Amino acid sequence: MLSPKTYGATYERLNLGNGSPATESRLLADISTNTQTVSSNVSRLEWLVRQIGGGRDNPSLRNELASVENDTREVATLTVGLIRDLALQLQKGHTSKKARRQQMNRLHNELKMAVSRFREVMQSYRDKYEVNPEPEEQRHHLAMATPTSTQTSFIEGPEDEWNQELRVVETREIAYELSVAEERARRMKEIEQDIRAIQQLFRQLSNLVNEQGEVIDDIGANIEGAATDVEAATRELGKGFHFQRTRRIRLCCLLLIVLVIAIAVILAVVLSVDR
């Protein structure tokens, strides 16, 4: 039988660094642990809900169900925040982190599936609670407390004493029924609120897909942009080197031409003087 406790779940948000590998590893580990906790708790909830209205239904089981449901919702809510934190951490990194992003996406999908099961289990619990607002043993409590026809045949005393006792039982029954109705209305309201909270959590996970997509696109764009910039810079350096080399060659050719012309002029002058 699965444990209803959220053993190993991480309940504190990390003091995030600047995209360090240690922080990313810690976030991935906590997300993985919490996702497993949510999945295990949902399996436990499924078993508990199946017992509603059956022979194992009792106040202790109902209390455990409420406790596990509350813990599961808290851990799932926290884990959504951890996934968002990890996405931001990966965005801060300066190198490609494809493997970590893939691991984050896998954990995100696992958590989303677990929360979807969680929602379905709580909706099933709501439907069963409407039919079975309290455990079987509590439903028989009044029947056991109310005198039967066999019991009344052995009751001794004046008739008014018996009527008084009967009125006490009837008053107790009315008070109990009112109490049950109030408790049922209160609990139904709580269950509906829990279901809405889980639905909101599922929507956050669905929206997180788009947020992660944007973050991952930004990371990929930054990496691709950096690679493109390096490539462009390399091309520009090549062009600059080629241009500088061509310029030097041209300059040397020009100097050589000027030198040849100068020599020719000097020779012409010398020859004309000699004549």
Side-chain angles (χ1 to χ4, degrees):
M1 185 178 296
L2 296 172
S3 172
K5 298 186 180 298
T6 54
Y7 177 77
T10 302
Y11 285 95
E12 296 181 0
R13 300 289 288 274
L14 296 173
N15 183 14
L16 301 177
N18 295 319
S20 66
T23 301
E24 294 165 5
S25 298
R26 173 70 187 281
L27 282 167
L28 282 169
D30 288 342
I31 292 169
S32 178
T33 299
N34 290 2
T35 300
Q36 293 175 7
T37 298
V38 171
S39 182
S40 297
N41 282 6
V42 171
S43 296
R44 178 62 178 174
L45 284 171
E46 288 177 333
W47 185 88
L48 292 170
V49 170
R50 285 198 298 269
Q51 311 313 310
I52 299 297
R56 296 184 178 182
D57 192 5
N58 56 64
S60 177
L61 183 140
R62 299 289 182 108
N63 291 336
E64 181 184 348
L65 195 154
S67 176
V68 175
E69 183 273 327
N70 183 70
D71 288 345
T72 305
R73 184 160 35 84
E74 288 184 358
V75 176
T77 301
L78 172 67
T79 310
V80 172
L82 293 177
I83 292 175
R84 184 177 289 109
D85 290 343
L86 178 58
L88 293 175
Q89 286 296 298
L90 293 176
Q91 190 180 26
K92 295 178 182 178
H94 302 292
T95 59
S96 177
K97 301 181 180 182
K98 182 178 179 180
R100 291 187 184 274
R101 294 201 302 273
Q102 290 177 341
Q103 188 175 0
M104 178 184 69
N105 291 336
R106 177 181 60 80
L107 292 172
H108 171 269
N109 291 333
E110 290 178 1
L111 180 63
K112 188 176 179 181
M113 291 176 60
V115 171
S116 179
R117 286 175 52 212
F118 186 20
R119 178 179 58 182
E120 293 173 358
V121 170
M122 291 304 297
Q123 289 171 341
S124 176
Y125 175 43
R126 175 194 59 194
D127 297 339
K128 297 193 75 170
Y129 188 86
E130 289 179 345
V131 182
N132 306 278
E134 66 277 334
E136 185 70 21
E137 64 181 39
Q138 289 188 10
R139 289 199 294 273
H140 288 296
H141 174 75
L142 285 175
M144 295 174 61
T146 306
T148 63
S149 58
T150 305
Q151 291 174 326
T152 57
S153 62
F154 293 98
I155 294 178
E156 299 179 357
E159 184 178 353
D160 59 346
E161 183 178 343
W162 164 245
N163 291 335
Q164 182 178 0
E165 182 179 350
L166 187 59
R167 284 195 297 271
V168 170
V169 173
E170 290 175 349
T171 302
R172 186 186 307 163
E173 181 179 356
I174 293 172
Y176 179 79
E177 292 294 342
L178 288 174
S179 175
V180 167
E182 291 176 356
E183 175 62 21
R184 178 180 181 180
R186 183 190 67 80
R187 184 57 187 147
M188 281 297 297
K189 183 178 180 180
E190 289 180 350
I191 294 174
E192 290 291 348
Q193 290 176 345
D194 293 343
I195 291 175
R196 284 196 294 270
I198 297 170
Q199 289 174 338
Q200 177 63 26
L201 185 61
F202 187 81
R203 283 193 293 269
Q204 290 178 4
L205 279 166
S206 298
N207 293 335
L208 195 58
V209 172
N210 297 329
E211 293 177 11
Q212 286 184 32
E214 292 176 0
V215 170
I216 292 172
D217 288 344
D218 289 343
I219 296 171
N222 289 338
I223 294 172
E224 292 177 1
T228 302
D229 290 344
V230 171
E231 197 174 311
T234 303
R235 286 197 302 268
E236 291 298 325
L237 286 173
K239 290 179 181 179
F241 178 77
H242 178 72
F243 176 77
Q244 187 175 9
R245 184 178 178 181
T246 303
R247 184 179 179 184
R248 287 178 179 175
I249 293 174
R250 290 177 179 176
L251 182 60
C252 290
C253 292
L254 180 62
L255 289 175
L256 182 60
I257 293 171
V258 170
L259 181 61
V260 170
I261 294 173
I263 292 174
V265 170
I266 292 173
L267 287 174
V269 172
V270 171
L271 290 174
S272 63
V273 170
D274 289 340
R275 289 176 185 177

